Amino acid sequence: MVVKWLREHVTASVLMVVFRLYLGYEWMTAGWEKITQGFDATGFLKGALAKAAGEHPAVQSWWAGFIENVALPNVGLFNFLVPWGEFLVGIALILGLFTTFAALMGAVMNFAFMFSGTTSTNPQMVLLTVFILVAGANAGRYGLDRWVLPYLRHWWTDKTHRPHRPAATHQ
């Protein structure tokens, strides 16, 4: 019943606009700050590794392995991906463009931060994001998705279901 309401009701889509604007603003400003003021994830990643030790670690060993073997050796890539990912997720949520994909990418970042032992506003952001994900297309009803998704659906259908015709058959 709640899922049906989230996916179909106009009131739910208005509520999703509020969630989108809040989350979008949070992501956009966090990313923009990192882009304009510089960002280096090295300290954050090393801090997360330190939280993997002890009797009750805040960071699980499998995630510490990812940080140690993937993230830290490629910190330059993460220094680019994190700020621009945050900024673009924020813009997409504010505009209601590719809303569910943007929300999913935001949730992935939130979980990565939580796996790294940081709580902050991440749990509340994940909770609001879950509503957007469950609402699906209804979350972008009052946004650019209203026009972009039908256009892409039509374009994709034309490309995939058009019978092949020879290039030039003049007689």
Side-chain angles (χ1 to χ4, degrees), residues 47-159:
L49 278 179
K51 294 177 187 176
E55 193 172 318
H56 300 288
V59 175
Q60 298 298 304
S61 60
W62 66 271
W63 188 254
F66 169 79
I67 291 171
E68 190 170 29
N69 298 307
V70 177
L72 274 171
N74 298 293
V75 74
L77 176 63
F78 285 88
N79 289 343
F80 175 81
L81 291 177
V82 170
W84 283 102
E86 289 178 354
F87 183 72
L88 292 173
V89 162
I91 294 292
L93 287 172
I94 289 169
L95 297 176
L97 179 63
F98 305 120
T99 304
T100 52
F101 180 72
L104 179 62
M105 293 302 100
V108 167
M109 286 189 289
N110 281 132
F111 278 113
F113 301 149
M114 289 189 290
F115 286 153
S116 299
T118 301
T119 304
S120 185
T121 60
N122 292 301
Q124 112 186 355
M125 291 176 77
V126 167
L127 181 61
L128 296 177
T129 301
V130 166
F131 286 105
I132 291 172
L133 291 172
V134 171
N138 202 31
R141 177 188 294 211
Y142 297 114
L144 293 179
D145 281 350
R146 183 179 191 133
W147 295 280
V148 172
L149 295 183
Y151 172 80
L152 289 176
R153 216 172 281 118
H154 177 73
W155 177 82
W156 181 257
T157 302
D158 281 355
K159 295 285 184 194

